[in-house]
């Protein structure tokens, strides 16, 4: 069983930055991909960003392109989400996920989530 633990969430003013971290209990390169998702109150969970160990270009949701950057460190089994120019609409619980297959939308393991709150 793969365990994912997020950290780095918190309260920030609009325009500010936060970096989320995701620690994996297994070698991250054993996963085909790792991603970040978020869920705001009253809304469905949505995709934010994904990184692929095959070298494929990372994917981003249109709403975060140019503001968020996903990165990974296989030596430390870590994945990060650098979030800049944060907006109140970015307020959500952010989840780290890991996927074994090449199927874009299929993720097999999930973290417990980290709250990000952006004040206006």
């Amino acid at each position: 069983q793969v365990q994912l633990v997020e950290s780095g969430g918190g309260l920030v003013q609009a325009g500010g930055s936060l970096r989320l971290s995701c620690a994996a209990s297994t070698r991250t390169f054993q996963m085909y991909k790792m991603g970040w998702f978020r869920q705001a109150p009253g809304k469905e969970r949505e995709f934010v960003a994904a990184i692929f160990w095959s070298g494929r270009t990372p994917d981003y949701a249109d709403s975060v392109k140019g503001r968020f950057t996903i990165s990974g460190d296989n030596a430390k089994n870590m994945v990060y989400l650098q979030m800049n120019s944060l907006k109140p609409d970015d307020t959500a619980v952010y989840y780290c996920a890991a996927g074994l297959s090449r199927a874009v939308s299929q993720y097999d393991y999930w973290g417990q989530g980290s709250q990000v709150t952006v004040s206006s």
Side-chain angles (χ1 to χ4, degrees):
Q1 183 72 13
V2 176
Q3 294 185 333
L4 304 172
V5 179
E6 303 94 338
S7 61
L11 174 63
V12 64
Q13 289 188 331
S17 298
L18 281 176
R19 188 177 82 154
L20 299 180
S21 299
C22 173
S25 64
T26 189
R27 301 285 188 182
T28 48
F29 65 76
Q30 292 179 339
M31 301 292 141
Y32 178 73
K33 60 188 181 288
M34 293 191 70
W36 288 94
F37 291 74
R38 67 186 182 185
Q39 186 168 19
K43 295 186 178 181
E44 293 187 355
R45 186 169 60 194
E46 63 176 3
F47 168 78
V48 175
I51 188 169
F52 304 89
W53 305 126
S54 64
R56 170 181 164 177
T57 302
D59 283 343
Y60 294 93
D62 288 342
S63 58
V64 306
K65 281 181 181 176
R67 300 189 299 122
F68 290 12
T69 302
I70 188 171
S71 62
D73 187 336
N74 281 331
K76 297 181 180 180
N77 298 326
M78 297 289 293
V79 176
Y80 307 97
L81 184 68
Q82 178 66 43
M83 304 183 293
N84 299 328
S85 302
L86 282 161
K87 306 174 182 179
D89 284 349
D90 295 319
T91 295
V93 177
Y94 283 71
Y95 297 91
C96 176
L100 294 166
S101 77
R102 294 176 180 265
V104 173
S105 61
Q106 182 177 344
Y107 284 82
D108 304 285
Y109 305 101
W110 295 85
Q112 293 299 307
S114 181
Q115 177 70 47
V116 171
T117 302
V118 184
S119 63
S120 57

